[in-house]
Amino acid sequence: MPAATRDALSEAIAADHDQALSRLREWIALPTINAEKLNRQEGAELMQRMLLDAGFDSARIIPTDGAPGVFGRLDAGAPVTLAVYFMYDVKQFEAHEWSQPPLEGRLVDRDGKTVMIARGAINQKGPEATLLTAIRAFKATGTPLPVNIVLVAEGEEETGSENFGQITGDPEVAKALAGAVGVILPVAWQGDDGGVDIFLGAKGVAEVQLVADGATSGRGPGMEIHSSMAASVENPAWRLVKALDTLVADDGYTPAIDGWMDHVRPLSKEQVAMIEAGIRPGSEAAAKKEMMVQGWIGGEDYRTSLVRLASQPTVNIQGLVSGYMGPGGKTSLPSRAEAKIDFRLVPDMRADEVVAKLRAHLDKRGFQDIQIVPGGIYGPTETPGDAAIVDALVTTLAAADLPHTLNPRLAGSWPGYRFTDPPVSLPAVFVGIGQGGQAHAPDEWYLIESNDPKVAGIDRQALFYAEFLYALAKTKR
């Protein structure tokens, strides 16, 4: 990027700082929570307006069988087109668990840094709004973007992107994606040392609900009854617990579902080497502090734990509910028990086989009565390390004197398989600097102003996106 252009964009971003915070607060104040079917249309309409205000030529709302999507285009007349993925939905929250109101976006001090606490602050409204701030700077300075941008946004990511395929399958969207060199998702995952992990893929995820219901199965009462009847009437809570226990080995974490590991592709030597090379001094201590954990599964060392994190599928109980949980005892026998489960998937596991394998596993053990209610399910992603968007990210980080490491796979999930799998078949990568944390949890936060020159506040984050676009425009494809 020419120095004069960089200076002009930097000044425009700085001048827009307070307005950028106001725009982010406005977005946060409208929680689009798909699990509660809350503000679906309103969320899409605000997303559409934000894109147009930022300088997109067009932004079209795409109806689906669930939450609508939004498709935006910004044609700069450039030879290179970049695709961008946004989500405008957020997770549920319990306001009483937060130290600050979760929909106000208040600024607070966190270890000497100014952060915004709000639902959606880091996942994903903060980084996405910061990318839009960068695009606005081009508009404010009259600087042509070095690349064209096509943007696809959805409102169902937090529930598994049930209808995202209807958005990417829209003829106009599909044609636009076919002309892109890759897809990025804005993030702010900088380490305390300023380093950035570049993930060349992500695990897939499948969410299901398991239900033991005495009223429908006949194995238990059709209503809550006195606990003295436990000698004569089966308890659905125990029924569900017994079924859940078959899903993992005796260690409590190794998947034990029949056929679950059949198509798991081990990490290559090169991928393991990537993980080992990415272990920086202090990273284990920082990870333990962030998650408030004292050790890793089975007492493993950090290196072994990181390899497991990237390579292993998981069987996780998100929540388990049955019967009375109020003060004191109630001496009751419940009629229903429910568990919410998520499975993390790795290459070459197939997302469309998850429910069938789970059903067959339970049926084989006599649990035909356990109901399976599928939720969102999508597969893992992989991106080659020599993709243009990866080269551009490496170049931008190097120019900013920020260290980076390559990592074969993010343990979390996003619906990137809609981009990386056929028929789209594009590389996809997470791009950004800055920090945030507590995604999905109380006191979710996003770094606004940093007291450390190695870690970026939002103005520097926005300028980084501009630098990335210039780097991408020059990358050989």
Side-chain angles (χ1 to χ4, degrees):
M1 181 194 307
T5 301
R6 187 183 190 278
D7 290 344
L9 292 174
S10 181
E11 290 175 6
I13 290 168
D16 191 37
H17 180 89
D18 291 344
Q19 291 79 10
L21 290 179
S22 295
R23 292 191 298 269
L24 178 53
R25 286 193 179 104
E26 179 188 6
W27 199 6
I28 283 167
L30 182 71
T32 302
I33 302 175
N34 194 54
E36 300 172 357
K37 295 182 171 56
L38 180 65
N39 294 324
R40 284 172 154 183
Q41 186 63 31
E42 295 86 348
E45 290 171 356
L46 179 55
M47 181 81 267
Q48 179 188 44
R49 176 163 61 83
M50 291 175 66
L51 295 182
L52 293 173
D53 288 348
F56 277 73
D57 303 315
S58 62
R60 176 168 65 91
I61 293 178
I62 301 176
T64 75
D65 291 339
V70 182
F71 172 61
R73 304 190 72 149
L74 202 169
D75 187 357
V80 176
T81 297
L82 172 68
V84 177
Y85 168 82
F86 271 17
M87 51 182 278
Y88 64 83
D89 61 319
V90 298
K91 272 293 186 187
Q92 308 93 308
F93 60 87
E94 297 289 342
H96 69 273
E97 298 177 345
W98 291 60
S99 68
Q100 307 292 328
L103 299 181
E104 292 187 8
R106 292 185 182 178
L107 300 184
V108 304
D109 178 83
R110 188 179 191 274
D111 298 329
K113 303 172 185 176
T114 301
V115 306
M116 177 180 288
I117 291 182
R119 175 52 87 224
I122 183 64
N123 185 25
Q124 281 290 132
K125 291 181 177 179
E128 291 172 352
T130 302
L131 174 58
L132 294 183
T133 294
I135 294 173
R136 293 177 76 96
F138 283 92
K139 178 182 176 182
T141 59
T143 304
L145 261 75
V147 300
N148 312 310
I149 296 178
V150 294
L151 187 147
V152 186
E154 66 156 326
E156 298 182 334
E157 198 280 338
E158 296 294 11
T159 55
S161 303
E162 302 98 319
N163 299 291
F164 189 44
Q166 296 177 29
I167 301 170
T168 57
D170 177 273
E172 183 186 9
V173 176
K175 183 177 179 181
L177 291 175
V181 297
V183 183
I184 68 166
L185 168 64
V187 297
W189 296 344
Q190 226 178 341
D192 287 340
D193 63 350
V196 174
D197 287 324
I198 300 175
F199 293 97
L200 300 179
K203 290 183 177 179
V205 70
E207 290 190 287
V208 304
Q209 184 176 3
L210 299 185
V211 180
D213 189 337
T216 58
S217 70
R219 302 193 66 134
M223 58 178 284
E224 181 181 301
I225 61 175
H226 197 278
S227 66
S228 64
M229 295 307 299
S232 299
V233 180
E234 192 165 0
N235 186 325
W238 277 120
R239 184 71 179 158
L240 181 59
V241 167
K242 293 295 186 182
L244 291 171
D245 189 48
T246 71
L247 303 184
V248 294
D250 289 343
D251 58 21
Y253 50 82
T254 301
I257 301 169
D258 294 338
W260 204 249
M261 308 295 285
D262 287 353
H263 304 298
V264 171
R265 188 202 318 157
L267 293 177
S268 67
K269 291 182 179 179
E270 292 76 15
Q271 288 174 320
V272 173
M274 279 185 198
I275 294 172
E276 293 173 339
I279 300 175
R280 298 188 292 270
S283 56
E284 179 177 16
K288 287 181 176 179
K289 179 182 178 182
E290 177 70 21
M291 294 183 286
M292 297 181 67
V293 299
Q294 298 180 21
W296 312 112
I297 274 181
E300 292 177 343
D301 62 85
Y302 190 47
R303 178 264 182 201
T304 304
S305 180
L306 288 178
V307 171
R308 176 191 291 277
L309 187 64
S311 64
Q312 295 299 299
T314 64
V315 177
N316 177 60
I317 300 176
Q318 297 179 17
L320 185 58
V321 179
S322 182
Y324 179 71
M325 293 300 293
K330 196 182 178 186
T331 60
S332 62
L333 191 158
S335 65
R336 183 180 173 92
E338 305 176 23
K340 289 189 180 292
I341 310 290
D342 68 59
F343 306 102
R344 299 288 168 171
L345 313 176
V346 301
D348 292 308
M349 299 177 77
R350 290 182 51 181
D352 58 0
E353 294 180 347
V354 168
V355 174
K357 285 188 174 182
L358 179 60
R359 180 76 274 166
H361 173 91
L362 292 173
D363 289 354
K364 181 179 178 180
R365 287 155 180 81
F367 291 106
Q368 294 89 344
D369 54 297
I370 299 295
Q371 302 170 34
I372 300 176
V373 183
I377 300 176
Y378 47 76
T381 69
E382 284 193 300
T383 286
D386 60 353
I389 51 174
V390 177
D391 287 345
L393 180 53
V394 169
T395 298
T396 310
L397 290 168
D401 197 25
L402 294 174
H404 77 274
T405 57
L406 294 176
N407 193 302
R409 190 171 303 134
L410 178 71
S413 305
W414 71 299
Y417 82 109
R418 290 289 184 185
F419 301 117
T420 59
D421 285 3
V424 180
S425 301
L426 288 176
V429 73
F430 308 101
V431 172
I433 55 178
Q435 283 185 343
Q438 296 295 102
H440 296 191
D443 285 353
E444 179 179 352
W445 62 276
Y446 178 51
L447 179 61
I448 303 300
E449 295 182 13
S450 176
N451 61 356
D452 185 341
K454 298 190 298 294
V455 180
I458 59 169
D459 291 356
R460 180 65 186 96
Q461 294 171 44
L463 185 61
F464 181 86
Y465 285 122
E467 293 166 346
F468 169 79
L469 297 181
Y470 273 95
L472 181 64
K474 296 181 178 179
T475 300
K476 293 181 180 180
R477 294 167 298 283

